[in-house]
Amino acid sequence: MTHQAKVDDLLAIMARLRDPNGGCPWDLEQSFRTILPYTLEEAYEVAEAIEQDDMLGLRDELGDLLLQVVFHARMAEEQGSFDFSDVVRVICDKMIRRHPHVFSDTDLDDAGAVGANWERIKAAERAEKGKPAAAEGALAGVAQALPALVRAEKLQRRASRVGFDWDGVEGVFDKVREELDECRETLADQVEPTERVHEVGDLLFSCVNLARHMGVDAEQALRAANHRFERRFGQVEAGLRAQGLEPGPEQRDEMERQWGLAKGRER
């Protein structure tokens, strides 16, 4: 396209792709469920572009994510449920409703007050839909499909809002040590494998709690650790190749040495 592209252009392209008369066979075969994995993948690719400070990549990935929204909206329109304009209208109404300190005369002084008011408004919205907060419980509405670390943090924050939380970070450190000891105990021969799964899960949940109390996003921290491991191990392999060696158990000592060098270079 030589003109300045608009959302309407993207909507028209998707309508053409989904047209039974001459549309794309692959696009026509898709459903909400088959497209879902692509939607999740595009969201993670947006996250990766942000983590890498890749603005051109972020531009492209945001476009891919927007395409997913348009794709889902088009399929919903075809079955008479809603269309893209309904999606936009609902989110505009929601943002105005949840920001009364911006769009009306409500006075909120800081981010904490904004967050608390946001949760009160969400609870009122659930009640209007016939889902009273008291009946649902404090943990209701945390999506099951979230990454486990993200969901753990959200569950903990929900519990914290009703007073179920540690008074300080030292108690969380103690809990992590307790869970680590319980993990070690499951190495005994007579322990059921499922018990090990449970104890490792409790340890990970406690680590998320520790991250939360330290003001760290556990999901982002682990993603960053994954990136560091990939980068450092790549340097380990490069160091081995420079000596005509290949990674393997017999090179364990040299791999450890190269790992130390890689960490030193980063410092």
Side-chain angles (χ1 to χ4, degrees):
M1 295 182 181
T2 56
H3 65 286
Q4 183 175 358
K6 300 177 181 179
V7 172
D8 285 345
D9 296 323
L10 183 56
L11 295 173
I13 290 170
M14 180 52 63
R16 181 72 180 89
L17 292 172
R18 291 281 297 181
D19 188 344
N21 298 315
C24 172
W26 186 89
D27 289 275
L28 286 165
E29 286 183 357
Q30 303 313 306
S31 67
F32 295 108
R33 291 186 180 276
T34 63
I35 288 297
L36 176 58
Y38 298 100
T39 306
L40 296 174
E41 180 181 345
E42 296 301 348
Y44 281 116
E45 290 182 355
V46 167
E48 184 172 353
I50 292 172
E51 290 168 352
Q52 295 178 354
D53 294 320
D54 181 1
M55 287 298 102
L56 288 179
L58 179 59
R59 178 200 63 187
D60 293 346
E61 298 303 342
L62 287 173
D64 291 342
L65 186 58
L66 177 59
L67 175 63
Q68 295 299 306
V69 176
V70 169
F71 207 141
H72 285 286
R74 179 64 197 180
M75 291 186 291
E77 181 179 358
E78 291 167 0
Q79 68 180 35
S81 298
F82 58 83
D83 62 16
F84 183 78
S85 64
D86 293 322
V87 174
V88 175
R89 174 181 54 79
V90 168
I91 189 58
C92 286
D93 290 347
K94 184 183 297 184
M95 295 305 290
I96 292 172
R97 184 171 62 250
R98 294 184 180 181
H99 291 82
H101 52 293
V102 176
F103 299 104
S104 67
D105 56 1
T106 301
D107 186 19
L108 299 175
D109 296 331
D110 54 38
V114 170
N117 195 55
W118 178 283
E119 290 302 323
R120 284 194 294 270
I121 294 171
K122 286 178 65 177
E125 291 170 354
R126 288 195 294 268
E128 289 178 3
K129 295 177 182 178
K131 301 177 181 178
E136 284 192 336
L139 305 184
V142 181
Q144 295 281 349
L146 288 170
L149 291 181
V150 175
R151 190 161 193 271
E153 191 267 347
K154 287 184 175 292
L155 290 171
Q156 292 166 8
R157 286 193 181 277
R158 290 286 188 89
S160 179
R161 291 191 187 113
V162 296
F164 190 74
D165 201 356
W166 297 94
D167 292 330
V169 71
E170 287 304 320
V172 190
F173 275 110
D174 291 340
K175 185 61 176 176
V176 170
R177 283 189 286 265
E178 175 189 326
E179 296 296 350
L180 184 59
D181 289 340
E182 291 180 1
C183 279
R184 186 177 290 111
E185 292 171 4
T186 65
L187 294 176
D189 293 337
Q190 68 273 20
V191 174
E192 291 289 333
T194 53
E195 185 65 19
R196 294 176 181 172
V197 174
H198 293 162
E199 294 301 340
V200 170
D202 289 346
L203 175 61
L204 293 173
F205 193 85
S206 296
C207 287
V208 173
N209 220 344
L210 178 62
R212 180 173 64 87
H213 277 266
M214 294 179 66
V216 173
D217 184 302
E219 179 74 16
Q220 290 185 4
L222 185 56
R223 287 172 63 86
N226 289 340
H227 288 316
R228 286 196 302 276
F229 183 85
E230 288 178 305
R231 183 172 62 249
R232 291 170 181 174
F233 194 77
Q235 294 179 41
V236 169
E237 291 177 312
L240 290 174
R241 284 195 299 271
Q243 302 176 62
L245 303 174
E246 292 290 335
E250 67 281 2
Q251 304 298 339
R252 175 65 180 273
D253 290 344
E254 181 59 21
M255 287 193 290
E256 291 286 357
R257 190 181 77 84
Q258 291 292 334
W259 180 268
L261 292 174
K263 290 183 64 176
R265 283 191 289 270
E266 290 186 2
R267 294 194 189 101

